[in-house]
Each structure stands twice: as C-alpha cells, then as structure tokens.
Amino acid sequence: MNHVQLTNLLTRARHGEKIAMLTCYDATFAKLMAAAGVDMLLVGDSLGMVIQGAANTLQVQMQDMLYHTRCVARGAPQCLIMSDMPVGSYETSAKQALMHAQALMATGAHLVKIEGGGDMVQIARHLVNHGIPVCAHLGFTPQSVEKLGGYKIQGKTPEAAARLMADAQAMAEAGVSLVLFEMVPAALARDITQHIAIPTIGIGAGADCSGQVLVLQDVLGIYDGPAEKAPDTYRAPRFAQNFLQDSGSIAQAIQAYVKAVKDGRFPEPRHAY
Ligand code: KIV
C-alpha cells in the first residue's frame, strides 16, 4: 500500500485538484475513508463534541488526541493524517508546542493543526523549523469560542478581513503547509486563497478554497447537538450537508462527499456566508 505524501497532495492542489478532507476518530472509519478516496483524515478535537458528548472542544486532552490519532493511523496507514493540537498543548511556549507535536507525529500524524494567527505564527514557525508540517486554523477558531462569544462568522468588517489576510500571509511565510478557514465570508476566503502561496481548506468558507473539510457526523446527518441539550433545540450549521440521505450506505455517502468536493459541486452557495 503506497503512502500518500503531503508534498504530492499539495502539488495536486496547486494544479487545481480539490482536496477532500473529513474528520475521523477511529480505525473502522479510517479504513472506510481511505477506500472512499478521502485525501486527508483530520483527527479533530471536535471529538470532544461528537465522541465525548461535550458542548465544545475545550476539555479535550492531549491523551485523547494521542489515543484517537493512534486508532486512525492503525485503520489507514496509507492515508495522510492531520491531528489537532488540543487547547493548552501549544499556546504557552514553542518548546511546549514542539514536545506535543512530536508526540502526535510519533503516534501516526503527518501534520498538526493549531488555531489562531498573531502570536501563533511564532509557534508555527518553530514547529516547521523542527520538521513538523503545520496547518493554521483561522477564522472561527473553536478553542476560542468563549472569547469569540459563540459560533460567529469571522472576517466580516474590513479590519477583521485585513487581519485574516495578514494572518494567513504570515502563516504562509512561516512555512505552514495549509491554512484552514472556518466560517468566513466566501469572497474573503477566495481572495486570500488567490493571494497566498499555499493551499487553503474551507469549512463554511465557500467553494473557492483549495479543498473542503466536514465533520464526519455532519456528513452522515447523525449529530444532533451536545448531550446536555435536547436534540430538537439543535440546528446544524449552514455549511453541514447530510450525504447519507441520498446514498445507500455509509461508504457511498463518503464517496459522494469526495466526488462532490472533487467536482466542485460541494459546497453550494447556500452553504456559504
Ligand atoms: O476539530 C475539527 O473537527 C475541526 C474542523 C471543524 C475543521 O477543526
């Protein structure tokens, strides 16, 4: 089984091929996603919500990320795996970030994702300089949900848009491999994608990013909110799409997602801001 190289995927993206990414937390789904042609599996700290039943990602621990990364890597050794650095594992110092990033790489990750621009640029640069490929998660950053005052679209004012552009540019210059935009206006994500030299991944960021990511449970239409809340009070985010309802099986739903991303049919304008 040939292992997909990150550099090959990035080159394909630069030549216009869309990257199809999905979150993944265990070996069974990893194997299924590999067979369905998902380009990159994200062991997201969204596992705090969809696996652990919490209201957000803030209680996810490093040991959780190590455990789930190991499970995913066992299920799909040929796939590219990106693991989230959980809150509290990288923000304090570059040394702390490197130690935890190396631990994730040792369990099977091929790159790590950190949230935020600004001060995080230094952290990203330190990781890259020590051989760790990095994805910078910008826009709505779930680990800052309290600071941001909830699940809100980012980059709406001219100042915020300029800040996002500057952060993305600074991250690219620091050597990160990918920038991921969550919940930003589609036109802004398009402009930044055209401006920076590295591929972008969108979730609620329109069709013009270099690739897309969704949470697996949203693709299957099975997430109905935090355990503490009544299911009928939950409204799926605008960017979510249930691919299972028109498919005969989970495998076919994942294949349909990959094909829709590759063909540029997902996301549609109704999924964007
Ligand atoms: O943790 C996660 O699943 C993520 C995606 C929402 C991009 O970061």
Side-chain angles (χ1 to χ4, degrees):
M1 234 176 307
N2 279 342
H3 170 42
V4 181
Q5 295 292 325
L6 176 61
T7 47
N8 290 352
L9 182 65
L10 299 179
T11 303
R12 274 163 34 208
R14 277 191 211 99
H15 286 94
E17 181 180 332
K18 295 279 186 187
I19 298 173
M21 188 188 297
L22 265 185
T23 66
C24 187
Y25 317 99
D26 69 32
T28 304
F29 273 105
K31 201 169 165 191
L32 219 132
M33 287 183 196
V38 177
D39 291 311
M40 195 184 283
L41 312 185
L42 167 61
V43 187
D45 60 358
S46 51
L47 68 84
M49 300 159 84
V50 297
I51 303 291
Q52 299 174 333
N56 53 46
T57 62
L58 297 179
Q59 82 305 324
V60 176
Q61 303 285 311
M62 192 59 202
Q63 68 212 36
D64 301 325
M65 297 311 303
L66 292 172
Y67 172 78
H68 287 281
T69 299
R70 193 175 296 116
C71 294
V72 169
R74 274 200 203 118
Q78 73 279 36
C79 254
L80 273 170
I81 298 169
M82 172 155 85
S83 290
D84 267 341
M85 300 199 66
V87 68
S89 71
Y90 59 95
E91 309 91 324
T92 310
S93 70
K95 192 173 162 197
Q96 177 212 33
L98 182 59
M99 182 181 77
H100 288 134
Q102 283 170 334
L104 284 169
M105 300 291 279
T107 61
H110 301 101
L111 69 165
V112 299
K113 176 159 77 60
I114 63 174
E115 294 188 5
D119 291 350
M120 293 307 113
V121 174
Q122 299 264 56
I123 301 282
R125 184 178 295 113
H126 188 70
L127 296 181
V128 171
N129 287 346
H130 286 79
I132 312 271
V134 175
C135 171
H137 185 150
L138 301 176
F140 176 73
T141 45
Q143 293 172 7
S144 305
V145 62
E146 299 297 346
K147 184 173 136 201
L148 297 173
Y151 292 81
K152 293 186 178 158
I153 307 156
Q154 304 297 308
K156 284 205 309 191
T157 64
E159 298 74 32
R163 220 169 25 244
L164 212 51
M165 172 71 89
D167 279 339
Q169 216 166 340
M171 281 293 189
E173 281 160 16
V176 309
S177 303
L178 287 170
V179 172
L180 185 149
F181 291 120
E182 180 164 356
M183 289 176 74
V184 305
L188 176 61
R190 180 201 59 214
D191 289 351
I192 302 178
T193 299
Q194 287 170 356
H195 196 77
I196 62 175
I198 55 172
T200 60
I201 304 290
I203 176 163
D208 294 315
C209 293
S210 322
Q212 298 293 326
V213 63
L214 279 182
V215 170
L216 168 67
Q217 281 74 359
D218 286 337
V219 164
L220 302 180
I222 55 171
Y223 183 69
D224 60 6
E228 69 198 26
K229 287 206 173 148
D232 55 8
T233 62
Y234 176 73
R235 221 168 33 135
R238 180 184 180 130
F239 52 77
Q241 161 88 26
N242 179 344
F243 283 87
L244 184 58
Q245 62 194 357
D246 297 321
S247 305
S249 68
I250 289 175
Q252 283 171 11
I254 294 172
Q255 283 162 13
Y257 165 73
V258 172
K259 189 152 182 5
V261 170
K262 296 275 176 195
D263 294 349
R265 286 180 291 106
F266 178 82
E268 299 168 30
R270 71 187 164 96
H271 297 111
Y273 300 102

